[in-house]
Amino acid sequence: MELSSLLFIFIFLPVFLILFYVLPFNIWRNSVLVVASLVFFAWTDLKQLPLLIGSLLFNYILALTIEQYTSQRKPANARAFMWIAVVVNILVLVFYKYTGFLVQTVADLAKVTIEYEPKDLPLGISFLTFSSVSYILDVYHASEKAEKNIVRFFSYLIMFPKLLSGPITRFGQVKNELLKTRPATDEVLDGIRRFIGGLAKKTLLADPINFATTKVFNNSFDSLGAGAAWFGLIGYTLVIYLDFSGYTDMAIGLGKMIGFKLPENFNFPYISRSITDFWRRWHMTLTAWFRNYLFIPLEFARKREKFLRQQSDILIVFLLTGLWHGANWNYIIWGVYFGIILAIEASGFGKVLKKLPVFLQHFYTIALVMLSWIFFRFTDIKTWGPFLKSLFGKNGWTTDITLRNLNVLSYIPVFILGVIFCLPLFHNLEKKVPQGGIIPRLVLDLVYLVLFVVSIAYILANGFSVFIYPQF
Amino acid sequence: MKPSHLPSKILLLFFAIILAVPVFWVVRGKVEPQRSLIEYRTLNVFPSLSFKDFKTATKRVLQFKFQEAGELFYDQFTQNKFQTRFERGVKDQFPFRSPGIQLSKNLDRILIRMVYLFLDDPAIPADMRLLVYETRDTKILFPSPEKFTTGTINDIDTKISQYKTLMETYPDIHFYALMLELVENSQFNPVNSIFPGADAGRSIEYFMEHKPDGLNLAYLPMGSFADYTRFYFRTDHHWNINGTLAGYELTYDLLKEYYPDISPMIPHDNLYTFPDIGFLGRWARQVFYQTKPDPFTVALLDLPPYKIYNMAGEEIEYNKKAEYLAGKYSTVPFTDHYIVYNGADVDYLEYVSENGSQRNLLIIGGSYTNAIEPILAAHYHHTYAVDIRHYPDYYFSLGEFMMEHPVDDVLIIGGPSVVMRQWQWVINP
């Protein structure tokens, strides 16, 4: 089930919220959250429901086991179970997500044909695996206590707002809220604003821009002019952010409506002044996960090595970040590309960069990020060359394929709005509204309601389209 | 409630809105599938579940007969069929669905006009997604041009060779064609200039130059884009009554050459315009655009008595002409009056006319023929109308057809796609 579908907004959500708000006890509300999340998952992926429940039970039991051994001062046993839990979680992910890729790679290297039936990727498996592993490691390191209440544990791992695309949440970030009473009205209202904002970002900006961009990319790059190619690339740069941050806004908004403060995932990444800055602002919960559970342990484990240690650790982390996004070479190259840039910035270039004029810092960052989206968007590596050539004018500024005859010229105002919403302008304006008194708040809330109605109108007209990130 | 808190509470209307929709569905109860005049399809309803099947399937599960249980009840969930049907039901049964779609389309058109304000294109898109255009001044809706490629030439050559084979196989039959110049192939399409590979009349020109000698061809050309509204509806691809009657006159002259004792031309100057119909056709419907409509005018003809039969040989009421003339018709915007009045596309129709003629005519074509069939049928004893698109696998053989229905004349009517191009319109010998 998609958060931007009519089914979710007009059936699932009202039914869930009524039950959630009416029930008097916390444990009942958490139970409703668990059941609703299972229904949410099963609606799209019923066949994988046993796997999901099995995985939850496995992590629940192993975390308790690890804690028990830790409290009994049996660290070797605790470590053994920690490894079992981590390896099994990762193996499940590898089995579903990477087997096909591995088989294909082996077949290509050996120049043989291997018959392989691709597996259906269980919904949100990448996000669930990372949350599970973080929980296991936090319990092992005794930074969190294992949750004994199975309902609360299930609520944490599979709560539907973050089930498909995160934010990847650590147990410590929500454990207190699992014990809380109903959310305050102001919190709920904030949640509604955030939810509507995300929905509008998705349906009124990301989807139309994606439609226009796809129309451009559907043409042969050998006959695409630079104008159309840049239109497509700028479009995709906007889409990937607006779509994913729209989803995150909806997830955080839903969380607030039921009293959870889910972590932020974006902090206006396109205003970054370096790639290092970009990765502090883009998909922040994933970056944090890799930093906490891979980069820092790697740095610690290799602390005696001096030569290019940090650089090589960055490279490892970003190779895996790329691989996390998908089982394909383009994602690996995308990750390595960022790894190399980050390693260079960490080697002193970052300091040089800071001395440059601010606009050059922005230009440097956005240019490299946009280039990276080419690697990310086109899974077929063979298309990169022709696209880059068209981008830099090999076919001229314009060809027979024009924005006019693709009928995408009218999307330019949407692109401009998209750019505005990539900047913190509206965000800063909204923060000032409460200080402005009743009227600005009223006006802004009315704007939210209008946005909601218009978003629904667009879903009715064009159907809802799936979010981009759950596929990763 | 403190006054300072009042404004923020307005957002609680969000809950009212999301609750109102399911409440509406519950209060309204079960509905039967309804045909949408606007979208020309049957709207989905919420799927129902059989409790009896569920009980039986659960019993089968307990008996370890999983496959049987799945087929009876559970597979629809594991294969997501139920979920898909349910989501379609949610969308189609959504309250205020049409106004919602209309709102989004109108907002789209505001964006389009904003962007094209700075350009001097003679026509602008009427939709953000589809390639339907409207002229800036006259608000006529029309499609983008078709492309003229080497594939087009190959298609035409194939069609020409098919005609030659047909004529060689059936030398005693007269083959006629009435080709309409449609805007997508016309040199007068106002947006030809922005589509570098546009047909712009080239395919028709090529066909005219290479057409087989034995094919008697009449052609209804556009002298200019102004002719578009003379012969066609402003918002629909079909010909209006002027186009239909012009087509009739051209065809009559064509047929007369090899059918000298054809009955006199049917007088067709008595026209009637339905006072309360504003016709918004296919293009308007596709882009959900309540632009300036057309009047809906029909010819009141004095035809010899005739009956219409379907493929099973049953006499049928094919069209709604009598009901329209009795004042019974829909005034809902986007109703396809051309199709409802003249009759919908079907695989086969047989007109049997009591006019003393001994000749039989086979008309091959799509919906353009629906309006002209009865008039042409007035000059023949049996007139067969075949729409090959509705035949299984688009297979139609003239030889097989004639074993049951002997014909003297074969007339192909339609745009370039029917007369000289598309593979769906192959007439096998």
Side-chain angles (χ1 to χ4, degrees):
Chain A
M1 200 182 300
E2 288 281 342
L3 299 187
S4 59
S5 66
L6 297 173
L7 173 72
F8 176 82
I9 299 168
F10 292 99
I11 295 183
F12 183 91
L13 188 60
V15 172
F16 165 75
L17 286 177
I18 287 174
L19 289 172
F20 191 86
Y21 291 148
V22 163
L23 292 173
F25 303 114
N26 177 277
I27 188 70
W28 291 8
R29 285 197 295 275
N30 283 334
S31 305
V32 167
L33 179 57
V34 170
V35 173
S37 300
L38 291 172
V39 170
F40 180 87
F41 180 93
W43 184 262
T44 315
D45 211 355
L46 182 60
K47 276 193 235 167
Q48 308 279 15
L49 192 61
L51 176 79
L52 176 76
I53 295 172
S55 161
L56 292 171
L57 288 171
F58 172 81
N59 284 299
Y60 172 74
I61 292 164
L62 260 75
L64 289 174
T65 312
I66 291 165
E67 190 175 67
Q68 198 181 3
Y69 281 123
T70 308
S71 64
Q72 291 169 355
R73 297 183 187 281
K74 292 178 178 171
N77 291 7
R79 190 182 306 121
F81 277 96
M82 179 274 287
W83 276 113
I84 290 170
V86 171
V87 169
V88 168
N89 274 300
I90 301 289
L91 276 180
V92 171
L93 180 66
V94 169
F95 176 74
Y96 281 99
K97 193 167 176 176
Y98 300 103
T99 313
F101 174 64
L102 292 171
V103 168
Q104 189 58 48
T105 306
V106 170
D108 288 347
L109 288 173
K111 291 181 180 164
V112 292
T113 308
I114 302 174
E115 290 291 324
Y116 176 73
E117 182 81 21
K119 302 268 177 290
D120 290 336
L121 195 63
L123 278 181
I125 189 168
S126 307
F127 293 90
L128 189 70
T129 304
F130 272 37
S131 294
S132 305
V133 169
S134 81
Y135 174 71
I136 292 290
L137 291 175
D138 286 352
V139 169
Y140 172 72
H141 291 300
S143 50
E144 295 297 341
K145 282 190 171 175
E147 177 57 66
K148 292 184 177 58
N149 184 311
I150 196 165
V151 174
R152 279 202 286 271
F153 173 74
F154 274 37
S155 299
Y156 153 63
L157 265 188
I158 59 159
M159 63 170 75
F160 65 84
K162 68 174 185 69
L163 181 61
L164 301 185
S165 291
I168 300 166
T169 310
R170 293 176 77 170
F171 183 61
Q173 290 170 311
V174 292
K175 66 178 179 190
N176 293 332
E177 285 142 6
L178 288 165
L179 301 164
K180 255 178 49 174
T181 54
R182 283 188 201 90
T185 311
D186 282 350
E187 209 179 340
V188 173
L189 293 174
D190 262 355
I192 295 172
R193 287 184 196 106
R194 196 74 194 263
F195 179 80
I196 294 174
L199 181 69
K201 238 187 212 180
K202 163 77 176 154
T203 54
L204 305 182
L205 296 174
D207 286 348
I209 297 174
N210 194 28
F211 180 82
T213 306
T214 307
K215 257 189 166 182
V216 172
F217 288 157
N218 279 347
N219 292 284
S220 161
F221 297 152
D222 290 323
S223 50
L224 200 64
W230 278 105
F231 180 90
L233 184 58
I234 293 168
Y236 189 70
T237 304
L238 295 172
V239 167
I240 191 81
Y241 169 70
L242 294 168
D243 189 275
F244 193 17
S245 74
Y247 176 91
T248 306
D249 288 343
M250 292 174 83
I252 291 173
L254 288 167
K256 281 187 173 182
M257 283 187 220
I258 55 173
F260 288 94
K261 197 169 182 302
L262 298 177
E264 293 292 338
N265 233 354
F266 295 94
N267 183 20
F268 304 100
Y270 291 153
I271 62 165
S272 305
R273 293 184 183 186
S274 66
I275 296 299
T276 311
D277 188 21
F278 174 78
W279 276 102
R280 286 194 196 111
R281 293 164 176 270
W282 178 271
H283 206 172
M284 289 146 68
T285 57
L286 180 72
T287 317
W289 192 97
F290 274 111
R291 186 180 57 241
N292 294 330
Y293 300 108
L294 187 63
F295 181 74
I296 294 173
L298 269 175
E299 284 281 287
F300 187 74
R302 300 172 65 196
K303 63 187 171 192
R304 288 190 186 154
E305 296 174 29
K306 298 289 178 209
F307 184 66
L308 295 179
R309 185 197 68 225
Q310 193 189 3
Q311 287 80 353
S312 55
D313 287 345
I314 290 173
L315 213 54
I316 292 168
V317 165
F318 274 85
L319 187 144
L320 292 173
T321 302
L323 198 57
W324 179 88
H325 280 83
N328 207 330
W329 284 106
N330 71 303
Y331 296 116
I332 295 172
I333 294 170
W334 176 78
V336 169
Y337 164 85
F338 274 123
I340 292 169
I341 298 171
L342 287 164
I344 293 170
E345 285 187 4
S347 307
F349 181 68
K351 286 177 186 165
V352 177
L353 199 61
K354 277 184 184 164
K355 290 176 186 162
L356 294 175
V358 173
F359 83 91
L360 273 182
Q361 296 177 40
H362 286 307
F363 178 78
Y364 155 85
T365 310
I366 199 71
L368 289 178
V369 169
M370 283 175 76
L371 183 64
S372 83
W373 295 138
I374 298 174
F375 311 144
F376 195 82
R377 169 64 171 78
F378 304 118
T379 48
D380 182 2
I381 295 172
K382 285 181 204 137
T383 59
W384 294 358
F387 185 75
L388 282 165
K389 281 179 187 167
S390 67
L391 203 59
F392 292 104
K394 188 213 161 203
N395 308 321
W397 179 253
T398 183
T399 61
D400 282 358
I401 302 158
T402 64
L403 300 187
R404 263 201 184 112
N405 62 36
L406 289 173
N407 192 14
V408 294
L409 206 58
S410 318
Y411 288 87
I412 287 174
V414 191
F415 273 51
I416 294 168
L417 272 177
V419 171
I420 291 170
F421 276 86
C422 289
L423 304 173
L425 298 174
F426 187 76
H427 178 74
N428 293 342
L429 188 74
E430 199 188 5
K431 274 203 292 192
K432 287 180 185 163
V433 165
Q435 301 151 19
I438 296 171
I439 301 296
R441 180 79 270 167
L442 175 69
V443 171
L444 194 66
D445 283 351
L446 283 173
V447 168
Y448 272 112
L449 284 175
V450 170
L451 277 179
F452 179 62
V453 171
V454 174
S455 300
I456 298 305
Y458 272 83
I459 295 172
L460 285 168
N462 304 327
F464 73 93
S465 47
V466 293
F467 285 96
I468 294 174
Y469 247 73
Q471 64 179 293
F472 303 130
Chain B
M1 190 184 291
K2 285 181 193 171
S4 63
H5 281 179
L6 189 67
S8 63
K9 300 289 188 292
I10 275 193
L11 262 191
L12 292 177
L13 271 175
F14 169 80
F15 289 124
I17 297 171
I18 63 168
L19 266 173
V21 175
V23 167
F24 164 80
W25 283 323
V26 170
V27 170
R28 191 189 56 173
K30 197 179 172 188
V31 288
E32 292 302 317
Q34 279 187 324
R35 185 134 182 103
S36 163
L37 287 171
I38 300 171
E39 289 159 87
Y40 220 64
R41 67 183 178 95
T42 303
L43 297 177
N44 294 287
V45 293
F46 292 109
S48 50
L49 289 171
S50 157
F51 183 67
K52 195 179 149 202
D53 285 349
F54 168 69
K55 253 173 72 180
T56 318
T58 308
K59 268 186 199 166
R60 298 285 176 275
V61 171
L62 296 173
Q63 293 161 353
F64 298 101
K65 294 175 179 169
F66 297 115
Q67 194 178 343
E68 218 176 301
E71 283 165 11
L72 197 61
F73 191 78
Y74 296 109
D75 283 357
Q76 60 182 320
F77 301 105
T78 53
Q79 293 166 2
N80 276 30
K81 285 179 191 162
F82 177 83
Q83 292 92 317
T84 307
R85 280 188 291 148
F86 194 88
E87 291 194 30
R88 283 184 190 151
V90 170
K91 195 180 167 201
D92 282 359
Q93 297 303 321
F94 199 86
F96 302 110
R97 180 168 166 268
S98 288
I101 298 173
Q102 188 91 63
L103 170 69
S104 77
K105 296 287 181 189
N106 288 343
L107 289 173
D108 279 354
R109 277 188 279 272
I110 290 173
L111 276 186
I112 293 168
R113 280 172 197 155
M114 224 163 75
V115 171
Y116 280 81
L117 200 64
F118 306 102
L119 302 166
D120 59 355
D121 298 27
I124 63 172
D127 190 81
M128 297 274 273
R129 294 190 167 227
L130 301 171
L131 288 173
V132 175
Y133 288 81
E134 66 169 329
T135 50
R136 276 187 199 261
D137 43 0
T138 48
K139 307 285 175 210
I140 295 166
L141 299 184
F142 63 93
S144 62
E146 280 182 8
K147 280 191 167 183
F148 183 77
T149 62
T150 47
T152 314
I153 294 172
N154 291 340
D155 283 354
I156 296 172
D157 287 342
T158 309
K159 193 75 184 183
I160 288 169
S161 87
Q162 283 169 8
Y163 280 131
K164 283 180 181 164
T165 311
L166 274 175
M167 286 182 283
E168 282 162 16
T169 315
Y170 302 101
D172 298 334
I173 292 179
H174 301 291
F175 287 89
Y176 304 90
L178 170 64
M179 182 152 67
L180 319 177
E181 181 183 11
L182 301 183
V183 71
E184 48 267 50
N185 303 96
S186 171
Q187 58 175 311
F188 301 109
N189 188 314
V191 293
N192 276 343
S193 60
I194 65 166
F195 288 87
D199 184 337
R202 286 183 285 176
S203 58
I204 292 173
E205 200 180 303
Y206 182 86
F207 181 74
M208 292 297 193
E209 277 173 22
H210 298 85
K211 76 172 181 68
D213 293 335
L215 180 67
N216 303 293
L217 184 80
Y219 176 46
L220 185 64
M222 270 184 220
S224 66
F225 188 68
D227 270 2
Y228 187 66
T229 44
R230 192 152 68 90
F231 292 144
Y232 300 92
F233 291 109
R234 306 168 45 81
T235 62
D236 195 59
H237 59 301
H238 290 118
W239 50 7
N240 59 21
I241 193 62
N242 298 328
T244 310
L245 295 177
Y248 169 56
E249 286 168 8
L250 283 169
T251 313
Y252 183 86
D253 290 342
L254 198 68
L255 296 170
K256 201 176 177 182
E257 198 176 331
Y258 297 101
Y259 180 15
D261 51 346
I262 188 169
S263 53
M265 190 179 270
I266 305 287
H268 50 273
D269 47 2
N270 185 10
L271 302 183
Y272 175 72
T273 302
F274 292 92
D276 46 357
I277 291 181
F279 178 47
L280 290 166
R282 178 189 183 177
W283 310 122
R285 201 165 47 241
Q286 272 191 358
V287 300
F288 226 86
Y289 189 8
Q290 288 207 40
T291 185
K292 189 181 169 187
D294 266 304
F296 189 64
T297 303
V298 297
L300 301 176
L301 304 164
D302 189 15
L303 301 173
Y306 66 93
K307 288 178 178 172
I308 306 177
Y309 300 89
N310 63 14
M311 201 178 259
E314 298 154 345
E315 189 182 344
I316 52 167
E317 284 293 323
Y318 170 58
N319 50 49
K320 303 278 184 199
K321 286 179 183 175
E323 287 173 38
Y324 264 66
L325 293 170
K328 293 177 193 164
Y329 45 79
S330 163
T331 50
V332 174
F334 303 111
T335 302
D336 196 342
H337 294 289
Y338 175 88
I339 288 293
V340 183
Y341 180 82
N342 291 308
D345 298 351
V346 290
D347 49 1
Y348 166 94
L349 285 176
E350 180 182 353
Y351 292 77
V352 182
S353 197
E354 301 305 327
N355 53 15
S357 169
Q358 293 306 309
R359 279 175 86 106
N360 298 336
L361 170 70
L362 166 63
I363 302 174
I364 294 173
S367 50
Y368 289 89
T369 67
N370 305 0
I372 203 172
E373 283 160 12
I375 323 178
L376 294 173
H379 302 290
Y380 287 85
H381 182 35
H382 289 272
T383 302
Y384 308 100
V386 163
D387 187 338
I388 300 177
R389 293 170 305 175
H390 293 271
Y391 274 64
D393 301 323
Y394 308 102
Y395 177 78
F396 175 80
S397 158
L398 184 59
E400 288 169 23
F401 183 84
M402 289 213 304
M403 287 204 287
E404 288 183 32
H405 315 286
V407 295
D408 306 284
D409 299 325
V410 174
L411 170 65
I412 298 129
I413 299 179
S417 61
V418 178
V419 177
M420 61 185 213
R421 287 191 57 190
Q422 275 182 11
W423 60 271
Q424 290 104 318
W425 292 104
V426 173
I427 306 164
N428 294 289

